[in-house]
Amino acid sequence: MLAFTKAAGQWAQAHTAIEKWWVSAIGRASLNTELGLGPGWGLPGPGPGGLTTSFRSWAKQQPLGELKAVAAALGAPPDGLKGATRAQVQNWVAARWDPG
């Protein structure tokens, strides 16, 4: 899970950078229409929020101790983890790639 979290963070950074480029490159509404994407369409893929939703579903099945160990390895303060709930730990880990 530690490797996944680090990779997810790198992916989210790349996704954000590419999305900024995508908006400027695809910025024409006519091209979105030609591609069948509709107005306001962004970069393909779930984005950081979609990854977070999938992660939370998966993390619910993982032992809380393992989630806390990953959070600690990622730099969570040990005192903050002692009484942390599963949701708090999941949110802290997911925040490594999803600022929302």
Side-chain angles (χ1 to χ4, degrees):
M1 184 176 6
L2 180 59
F4 168 82
T5 302
K6 288 180 179 181
Q10 293 169 344
W11 173 84
Q13 287 176 351
H15 188 278
T16 300
I18 292 168
E19 190 163 44
K20 287 177 184 175
W21 167 83
W22 179 266
V23 169
S24 66
I26 302 296
R28 299 186 340 230
S30 62
L31 184 54
N32 278 355
T33 302
E34 290 169 27
L35 295 173
L37 305 175
W41 191 84
L43 185 65
L51 181 60
T52 299
T53 300
S54 296
F55 168 74
R56 285 188 177 133
S57 294
W58 174 83
K60 287 178 184 176
Q61 308 304 316
Q62 306 310 307
L64 181 56
E66 288 182 21
L67 293 173
K68 286 183 177 184
V70 168
L74 291 168
D79 290 343
L81 291 173
K82 287 181 184 173
T85 66
R86 175 178 301 279
Q88 290 169 324
V89 176
Q90 286 175 193
N91 289 341
W92 194 91
V93 172
R96 301 313 91 194
W97 67 79
D98 184 358

